Amino acid sequence: MDSVLAFVIGVLIVVVGLALSIGLHEIGHLVPAKLFNVKVVQYMIGFGPTVWSRKKGETEYGIKAIPLGGYISMIGMFPPGKDGETKAASTGFFRGLVQDARDSSTDSITPGDEDRAFYKLAVWKRIIVMLGGPFMNLVLGVLLFGVLVTGFGIPRDNFVGSVSECALPASSARDTCEPGDPQAPGSLAGLKPGDRILSIDGTPITSWNDSTQIIRDHPGDPLAFVVERDGTSVDLTVTPMLSERPALDENGRVVTDASGKELTVEAGFVGIGPAAVRVQGPITEVLPTVGQQIQGVAGVILNLPQRMIDTANAAFGPGERDPNGPMSVVGVGRVAGEVAAAEQLEFVDRAAGIVGILASLNIALFVFNLIPLLPLDGGHIAGALWEGIRRGWAKLFKRPDPGPVDLAKLMPLTLGVAILLGAMSALLIYADIVKPVALF
């Protein structure tokens, strides 16, 4: 029962955290819009039927039934058609979409508020309004990663967890030492559990894979180890011995044959095992950590078609999900619940895991919303930038002002993007139900 309760608490924390992140994202749009005197008629968290709302001044604030996003409604999002015509007859489905967008935008402008339309803002002001939401998620992500890095600490696996007394080949059926077994090089050199490996032969060590690769590649070569022991730097000389070891791939995973049997190779061996220890980092480490997260999310987005194919193959086939691949809010909630209920983890590790999920979510919202496609914020920003370039070019060459960019013409593309996002969300939700990402 305790694990079930912990699972539910983990899910609820992430759900509330996501709702707050969405709400603050929309506040990032709302505040500059009001500062620039744009009329905002709605501030909503969620989509679908309204569950609760209250009007304050000219803005209705509310919560809707489907908590998968949010929005603010500003008047005059799109300029009217040429020569101010908005009701011109149009034929065809896509032309109708464009005209409906223009008509809706024009109808939202009440008499006396013509100068408060969004499209009439200066380009730089429109960029600030649309960038305010993603920027708010970036700020939240930095703050949460700050708590994670400087408060909880980041797990580092360049610590020695165990030191073998003897050297046994990988194919040995024994796991204990007997008289006559050769002493392991790590024990012989004086390595101890708790040592943090800082460098090997001048190469900085930040992960266990770093040290493993150097050791395996240098059997018989004396290596200069620098370790941190009880806060003091200690220099050691360790000479790896040639031994039968499991074959590893580029990610440090054991390689097996078609039958599942582990393959072995002759490689350097020291006889030490890793330990993950949380290390509190300085505040200067926060922004590089955020940068790495942004780079990771951008990589997922750039490879999204292949990632979605892999997800579909896993959902409808025997394959396993990639733990670093995309997932829906259902999957994120499930992962949060599993982390909270993981009895094999210490409480601090579970709490740090939840904070890390919320931090990563905000960075993902920041990057995703900057994709230069409508209806995302990045699409509006791209439109404003293009308008600024056009007007600047016309001014430079003393040509007539081309006027505002008519983003309403992109409504067919916007519809296509919305359908694609909906299909992707449906696939990810299905995959997260039938083939969830396995953490433990």
Side-chain angles (χ1 to χ4, degrees):
M1 181 60 69
D2 289 342
S3 61
V4 173
L5 180 60
F7 184 94
V8 172
I9 290 174
V11 172
L12 287 177
I13 289 174
V14 169
V15 168
V16 172
L18 180 59
L20 289 174
S21 298
I22 293 171
L24 290 171
H25 174 103
E26 298 308 327
I27 286 177
H29 294 309
L30 178 72
V31 172
K34 285 186 171 289
L35 286 175
F36 296 144
N37 199 34
V38 177
K39 186 175 181 178
V40 182
V41 294
Q42 280 189 319
Y43 166 93
M44 291 288 171
I45 298 176
F47 300 104
T50 301
V51 175
W52 171 89
S53 71
R54 176 173 295 177
K55 191 166 185 178
K56 185 176 180 181
E58 62 187 15
T59 306
E60 179 189 11
Y61 300 85
I63 299 173
K64 290 184 172 286
I66 306 174
L68 295 179
Y71 66 93
I72 67 169
S73 179
M74 298 177 284
I75 68 169
M77 287 296 296
F78 304 115
K82 285 186 177 181
D83 303 321
E85 296 179 2
T86 61
K87 298 292 184 179
S90 59
T91 59
F93 176 71
F94 293 126
R95 288 186 179 181
L97 283 177
V98 174
Q99 194 59 51
D100 287 345
R102 289 176 181 153
D103 292 345
S104 177
S105 175
T106 300
D107 292 343
S108 70
I109 303 175
T110 51
D113 291 326
E114 290 82 3
D115 292 333
R116 301 181 65 193
F118 175 75
Y119 81 87
K120 288 192 174 182
L121 284 180
V123 167
W124 67 272
K125 290 183 178 180
R126 268 180 281 159
I127 292 175
I128 288 177
V129 171
M130 300 315 299
L131 195 59
F135 178 74
M136 186 67 79
N137 290 124
L138 176 61
V139 171
L140 288 172
V142 170
L143 291 175
L144 289 169
F145 271 115
V147 172
L148 194 63
V149 171
T150 64
F152 290 103
I154 301 295
R156 306 293 187 190
D157 66 351
N158 58 338
F159 284 82
V160 178
S162 61
V163 179
S164 300
E165 291 297 325
C166 62
L168 299 175
S171 58
S172 175
R174 292 190 288 117
D175 56 7
T176 57
C177 297
E178 293 182 356
D181 290 334
Q183 187 175 4
S187 173
L188 185 63
L191 284 168
K192 297 182 179 180
D195 287 348
R196 183 181 185 183
I197 303 176
L198 301 179
S199 67
I200 299 178
D201 261 11
T203 301
I205 302 298
T206 58
S207 71
W208 194 256
N209 283 343
D210 293 342
S211 61
T212 298
Q213 192 60 51
I214 295 175
I215 291 169
R216 291 170 69 91
D217 290 345
H218 292 83
D221 297 333
L223 300 177
F225 273 59
V226 179
V227 302
E228 182 182 286
R229 180 180 298 166
D230 299 327
T232 302
S233 180
V234 178
D235 295 327
L236 300 171
T237 299
V238 184
T239 304
M241 65 182 296
L242 187 64
S243 176
E244 181 188 21
R245 309 314 310 161
L248 304 177
D249 62 16
E250 63 274 9
N251 295 317
R253 293 188 292 258
V254 176
V255 179
T256 59
D257 60 17
S259 65
K261 181 181 178 181
E262 292 185 359
L263 300 179
T264 61
V265 295
E266 293 293 315
F269 173 73
V270 168
I272 54 177
V277 177
R278 287 196 172 275
V279 178
Q280 292 178 330
I283 196 169
T284 53
E285 194 176 331
V286 175
L287 291 182
T289 302
V290 172
Q292 292 172 4
Q293 187 70 23
I294 290 174
Q295 185 178 8
V297 174
V300 171
I301 291 174
L302 290 174
N303 295 289
L304 197 55
Q306 184 60 50
R307 297 281 188 146
M308 295 305 298
I309 292 173
D310 294 341
T311 300
N313 290 336
F316 298 102
E320 294 296 323
R321 293 281 300 279
D322 180 1
N324 296 316
M327 65 177 70
S328 70
V329 291
V330 173
V332 172
R334 184 165 187 161
V335 167
E338 289 183 354
V339 169
E343 296 180 355
Q344 67 269 39
L345 298 179
E346 298 290 337
F347 176 80
V348 66
D349 294 321
R350 286 183 275 177
I354 298 296
V355 172
I357 289 172
L358 291 174
S360 299
L361 266 176
N362 275 280
I363 296 301
L365 288 171
F366 165 70
V367 177
F368 185 77
N369 274 286
L370 290 181
I371 296 175
L373 291 172
L374 292 174
L376 301 173
D377 298 330
H380 291 280
I381 294 170
L385 287 172
W386 176 238
E387 180 179 320
I389 293 172
R390 284 180 51 189
R391 285 183 154 172
W393 189 263
K395 186 176 181 180
L396 179 64
F397 290 95
K398 298 181 180 180
R399 294 175 181 174
D401 186 346
V405 170
D406 187 6
L407 290 181
K409 291 181 179 179
L410 297 178
M411 287 310 295
L413 176 61
T414 303
L415 177 62
V417 173
I419 292 173
L420 180 62
L421 291 177
M424 289 169 51
S425 297
L427 172 60
L428 290 174
I429 290 173
Y430 176 78
D432 288 332
I433 293 173
V434 302
K435 188 69 71 69
V437 172
L439 294 182
F440 305 104

